[in-house]
Amino acid sequence: MELLDGKKISNQIKEEITETVAKMKERGEKVPHLAAIIVGNDGASLTYVGSKVRSCERIGFESTLVQMPSTTSELELLKKIDELNKNEAVDGFIVQLPLPEQIDTQKVIMAIDPDKDVDGFHPTNFGKMALDMSTFIPATPFGILELLERYKVDTKGKHTVVIGRSHIVGRPMSILMGRRGWPGNSTVTLTHSHTKNITQIISQADIVISALGVPNFLKAEMVKDDAVVIDVGITRVPDESRPKGYYITGDVDFENVSKKASYITPVPGGVGPMTIAMLLKNTLLARERHRAKS
Ligand code: NAP
């Protein structure tokens, strides 16, 4: 079994971006600028957005954090998005999800300028991804592709089973694994809560990508020998004995599944850190595109 070490690979990617940014500075060019909007005080969201902003600072990007109260109206958020769309200094921005219930998430995503949509959630970018056009690939699926590529995992002709069909992970992952090229050229089965015989389907998978958010869902007896196992799940399990009052776990029974898998991602330290690294990569891409246009 080989560990797909997202922490190590994400650090490599960040070093590569740091070097690129240092060269931009030497040439007197503007460095990439990422803005993040967060609405409300959700603990996990604040942690994610905080680490995205800190990562920007470490690698030499400029960053802006826009914090809005949980009572923010849809109109107020749309106005802020309009400001960021028009702000020439900002190359890309994200709106941290989930949003409070008074706000229509789809409306918000639609309001983001596709050229600044470094999360790759806008229908224009999602459509381009589905059509194999150059675009911003959503950071988590992009991170999984990068891990497969850097560990030279063969995907051609393999049966990939994706568990979960969210717009940010499962659905795009199923499209990307089935596209022409590498990583890709897989035969993909996309499963969800209504899938019948899911255990049997998973047992036929050469590659399993689990993105449902149910701790210990994927057990050793469900996967075939030498399967590649990608665990996207991140669940906070309350535990008073831990300093933070919780611990983080994925969807996979890592201890037992790792004995059968050929490659496996740990949680934490697998897909999670890759997601941030690829958001930074998308922001660099946004800067390069804006420079080319101006
Ligand atoms: P989500 O919106 O929470 O949806 C979960 C998906 O799993 C749905 O499609 C649901 O099916 C499916 N599902 C739920 N129970 C199932 C079951 N028993 N059998 C089969 N399918 C089932 O998905 P998400 O936003 O992609 O999040 C999934 C997990 O990934 C969460 O733990 C989240 O925290 C984590 N995540 C991690 C990262 C990272 O950077 N590592 C990034 C994003 C998300 P239906 O569609 O039928 O309801």
Side-chain angles (χ1 to χ4, degrees):
M1 182 276 291
E2 190 170 355
L3 205 63
L4 296 171
D5 188 341
K7 200 167 175 200
K8 185 176 99 184
I9 301 296
S10 66
N11 282 334
Q12 278 174 13
I13 293 167
K14 285 185 201 164
E15 275 169 30
E16 291 161 14
I17 300 175
T18 306
E19 279 174 29
T20 307
V21 175
K23 284 187 189 137
M24 286 174 145
K25 278 188 183 158
E26 273 170 31
R27 291 193 296 264
E29 289 173 15
K30 177 189 175 312
V31 298
H33 184 160
L34 175 72
I37 303 179
I38 179 155
V39 185
N41 304 308
D42 177 68
S45 295
L46 283 165
T47 307
Y48 293 145
V49 102
S51 56
K52 287 168 187 174
V53 169
R54 275 195 306 282
S55 295
C56 281
E57 286 157 9
R58 276 193 219 113
I59 65 168
F61 282 9
E62 283 174 28
S63 63
T64 302
L65 179 59
V66 181
Q67 282 188 278
M68 302 179 82
S70 56
T71 51
T72 302
S73 70
E74 191 176 279
L75 195 64
E76 284 167 325
L77 179 55
L78 291 173
K79 271 189 190 158
K80 183 53 74 180
I81 289 172
D82 190 47
E83 272 173 35
L84 292 178
N85 282 342
K86 290 177 179 150
N87 186 339
E88 288 292 322
V90 171
D91 294 295
F93 66 96
I94 59 163
V95 180
Q96 185 67 41
L97 302 179
L99 290 166
E101 58 183 18
Q102 73 273 19
I103 299 173
D104 179 344
T105 303
Q106 208 55 48
K107 221 173 183 178
V108 166
I109 290 172
M110 295 281 286
I112 299 171
D113 176 351
D115 286 341
K116 293 192 176 189
D117 168 41
V118 284
D119 259 339
F121 295 163
H122 190 284
T124 296
N125 289 323
F126 202 94
K128 283 184 171 176
M129 177 197 69
L131 294 169
D132 296 335
M133 294 165 76
S134 165
T135 188
F136 300 116
I137 296 174
T140 303
F142 195 9
I144 295 170
L145 293 183
E146 192 79 16
L147 269 181
L148 294 172
E149 196 174 328
R150 297 213 181 200
Y151 279 89
K152 300 189 169 45
V153 177
D154 188 14
T155 59
K156 187 167 78 179
K158 305 288 180 189
H159 181 199
T160 295
V161 173
V162 180
I163 313 169
R165 56 177 164 183
S166 74
H167 294 168
I168 60 170
V169 186
R171 185 78 55 86
M173 207 59 234
S174 68
I175 294 169
L176 292 162
M177 291 301 283
R179 71 181 180 173
R180 282 200 180 86
W182 175 71
N185 280 333
S186 264
T187 304
V188 181
T189 305
L190 179 60
T191 66
H192 45 77
S193 67
H194 300 282
T195 303
K196 287 189 180 136
N197 304 325
I198 195 166
T199 309
Q200 195 195 336
I201 294 168
I202 294 167
S203 71
Q204 293 164 5
D206 302 303
I207 301 170
V208 184
I209 300 174
S210 184
L212 68 160
V214 178
N216 269 320
F217 174 86
L218 197 75
K219 302 201 171 53
E221 57 271 24
M222 291 161 80
V223 297
K224 77 176 183 189
D225 285 336
D226 295 328
V228 176
V229 179
I230 310 286
D231 188 355
V232 185
I234 298 180
T235 304
R236 287 182 173 200
V237 181
D239 181 352
E240 288 311 322
S241 69
R242 310 279 178 127
K244 289 183 176 166
Y246 65 87
Y247 66 92
I248 298 282
T249 187
D251 294 343
V252 177
D253 172 7
F254 182 86
E255 195 187 333
N256 295 306
V257 173
S258 59
K259 289 175 190 151
K260 277 178 101 176
S262 55
Y263 294 92
I264 188 166
T265 58
V267 176
V271 176
M274 290 301 292
T275 297
I276 295 190
M278 302 323 275
L279 173 68
L280 301 172
K281 209 164 175 173
N282 275 343
T283 307
L284 178 62
L285 181 65
R287 169 85 289 269
E288 284 166 353
R289 285 186 181 172
H290 293 153
R291 188 163 56 90
K293 265 209 238 163
S294 59

